């Protein structure tokens, strides 16, 4: 079955450490996204990528970095510069950026930084 | 600025009907999505509306009025498994999704 896999489901890190969240899709989708979800707030876009080797900042990109070396993979690094990294992170994809196809989501990674 | 408003929380009884409203103000409009999200899980796609009117899909229906910047999700014959958050999202003129904060629906027996 096609889908999006995020790993790990839970991640714990000490403050000051960088951490990378994995996202893999086998849906053959061109567009991939990273969102952050905090209680009482809507999903906020961190980064998105429309095609391999290209990505764009979203609304809250500061303190995060991404790469898109393969169509299937879009890892997110949470750097020590991110002031409040503890959150639920969701990766998503859809067939294209400039269309109305629905997003498909991974199961999320809950990151806790202490 | 762009804004999506939904009630924070609603409570309904098993077997009943509930309507979850969503109002929006966005830069352009290319459609409105509803997603369901159980606690700690991924959002799953429920419906997409781009034309005015009602779209029915089993127990769930979604309505859109573009002139009023308004949509609702109607859930019939509520089941306990419908307890979840319901997210409204609008696709703006740049095909970016603008998300509401979600409505937590509590179903009581």
């Amino acid at each position: 079955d096609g889908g999006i896999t995020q790993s790990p489901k839970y991640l714990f890190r000490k403050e000051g450490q960088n951490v990378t969240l994995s996202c893999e899709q086998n849906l053959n989708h061109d567009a991939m996204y990273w969102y952050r979800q905090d209680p009482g707030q809507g999903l906020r876009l961190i980064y998105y990528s429309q095609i391999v080797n290209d990505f764009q900042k979203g609304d809250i990109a500061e303190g995060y970095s991404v790469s898109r070396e393969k169509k299937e993979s879009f890892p997110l690094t949470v750097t020590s510069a991110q002031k409040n990294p503890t959150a639920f992170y969701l990766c998503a994809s859809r067939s294209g950026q400039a269309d109305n196809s629905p997003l498909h989501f991974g199961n999320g990674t809950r990151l806790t930084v202490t | 600025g762009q804004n999506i408003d939904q009630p924070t929380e609603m409570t309904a009884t098993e077997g009943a009907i509930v309507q979850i409203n969503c109002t929006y103000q966005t830069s352009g409009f290319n459609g409105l999505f509803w997603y369901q999200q159980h606690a700690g899980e991924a959002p799953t796609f429920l419906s997409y509306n781009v034309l005015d009117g009602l779209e029915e899909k089993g127990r769930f229906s979604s309505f859109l009025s573009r002139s009023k910047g308004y949509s609702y999700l109607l859930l019939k014959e509520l089941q306990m498994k419908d307890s979840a958050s319901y997210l409204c999202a609008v696709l703006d003129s740049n095909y970016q999704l603008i998300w509401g904060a979600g409505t937590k629906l509590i179903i009581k027996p």
Side-chain angles (χ1 to χ4, degrees), chain B residues 63-106:
Chain B
F63 172 83
L64 176 67
S65 168
R66 293 185 61 166
S67 62
K68 295 182 179 177
Y70 167 69
S71 172
Y72 67 72
L73 181 69
L74 191 72
L75 290 73
K76 302 176 186 175
E77 301 168 19
L78 286 169
Q79 302 175 9
M80 297 303 293
K81 67 179 182 179
D82 297 330
S83 292
S85 288
Y86 291 85
L87 313 180
C88 173
V90 171
L91 206 54
D92 72 9
S93 57
N94 294 318
Y95 288 92
Q96 294 288 2
L97 275 170
I98 313 301
W99 294 86
T103 299
K104 183 178 180 181
L105 178 63
I106 300 167

Side-chain angles (χ1 to χ4, degrees), chain B residues 13-72:
Chain B
T13 305
E14 191 176 14
I17 298 173
V18 71
Q19 178 176 311
I20 302 174
N21 296 326
C22 171
T23 57
Y24 63 89
Q25 291 176 303
T26 56
S27 303
F29 180 85
N30 278 303
L32 184 146
F33 292 88
W34 284 97
Y35 282 81
Q36 180 191 60
Q37 186 180 24
H38 287 99
E41 297 183 10
T44 55
F45 169 72
L46 289 177
S47 67
Y48 170 74
N49 294 68
V50 67
L51 300 176
D52 286 354
L54 187 69
E55 296 273 348
E56 296 187 73
K57 201 184 284 187
R59 293 191 298 115
F60 292 8
S61 303
S62 56
F63 172 83
L64 176 67
S65 168
R66 293 185 61 166
S67 62
K68 295 182 179 177
Y70 167 69
S71 172
Y72 67 72

